[in-house]
């Protein structure tokens, strides 16, 4: 049991460090509303990581996907690579928060972008 707790704690620490490291990088290049959104997303992700540390593997996996979606944000480099915006990461984080029953962790309740279909599996929604 102690080994399992160490593994969960280490996984939690790794995800939080990834979020914090990426946020530090974003702080160097973003300003205004984009930086505020990045800060909110990081805060939500940290809380989701902590609140699911002892949850099921499926719940932890959803949070891991959201963290990686935020951290592995791609920038456009010509025609071959599409831009993954912070707004797209916000939709993923908000969806995970809703699925985990944590609407209090929504990055920002917004109505100006369409919600992802709740019945659709999260991994399919990420491919859009």
């Amino acid at each position: 049991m102690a080994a399992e707790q160490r593994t969960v704690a280490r996984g939690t620490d790794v995800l939080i460090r990834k979020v914090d490291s990426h946020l530090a990088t974003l702080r160097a290049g973003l300003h205004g509303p984009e930086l505020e959104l990045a800060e909110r997303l990081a805060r939500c992700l940290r809380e989701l990581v902590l609140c699911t540390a002892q949850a099921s593997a499926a719940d932890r996996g959803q949070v891991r996907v959201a963290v990686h979606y935020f951290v592995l944000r791609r920038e456009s480099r010509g025609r071959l690579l599409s831009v993954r915006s912070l707004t797209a990461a916000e939709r993923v984080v908000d969806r995970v928060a809703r699925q985990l029953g944590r609407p209090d962790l929504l990055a920002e309740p917004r109505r100006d972008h369409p919600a992802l279909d709740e019945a659709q599996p999260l991994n399919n929604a990420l491919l859009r």
Side-chain angles (χ1 to χ4, degrees), residues 11 14-15 18-19 22 45 49 60-74 84 89 92-93 126:
V14 168
L15 289 175
K18 284 183 181 208
V19 169
H22 186 62
L45 286 168
V49 167
R60 289 192 320 269
Q62 285 186 352
V63 172
R64 195 176 321 108
V65 166
V67 167
H68 289 152
Y69 198 87
F70 173 69
V71 169
L72 299 175
R73 185 178 150 207
R74 297 178 295 187
R84 181 182 297 162
V92 170
V93 171
L126 296 179

Side-chain angles (χ1 to χ4, degrees), residues 37 40-41 44 90 94 105-111 113:
L37 177 56
R40 283 193 311 272
L41 288 172
C44 293
E90 176 186 18
D94 285 354
L105 294 179
L106 295 178
E108 182 177 3
R110 295 174 55 167
R111 301 195 194 290
H113 57 72

Side-chain angles (χ1 to χ4, degrees), residues 6-78:
R6 273 196 307 266
T7 303
V8 170
R10 188 179 71 219
T12 300
D13 292 343
V14 168
L15 289 175
I16 290 175
R17 277 197 311 269
K18 284 183 181 208
V19 169
D20 290 343
S21 174
H22 186 62
L23 182 60
T25 302
L26 291 176
R27 284 180 179 143
L30 295 179
H31 306 286
E34 285 184 326
L35 180 57
E36 290 172 16
L37 177 56
E39 296 275 355
R40 283 193 311 272
L41 288 172
R43 186 175 52 251
C44 293
L45 286 168
R46 278 189 222 102
E47 186 62 31
L48 283 170
V49 167
L50 292 173
C51 77
T52 59
Q54 300 297 325
S56 70
D59 289 350
R60 289 192 320 269
Q62 285 186 352
V63 172
R64 195 176 321 108
V65 166
V67 167
H68 289 152
Y69 198 87
F70 173 69
V71 169
L72 299 175
R73 185 178 150 207
R74 297 178 295 187
E75 300 298 332
S76 179
R77 292 188 189 129

Side-chain angles (χ1 to χ4, degrees), residues 93-109:
V93 171
D94 285 354
R95 178 161 180 185
V96 169
R98 274 191 235 93
Q99 286 180 341
L100 295 175
R102 295 295 309 263
D104 58 310
L105 294 179
L106 295 178
E108 182 177 3

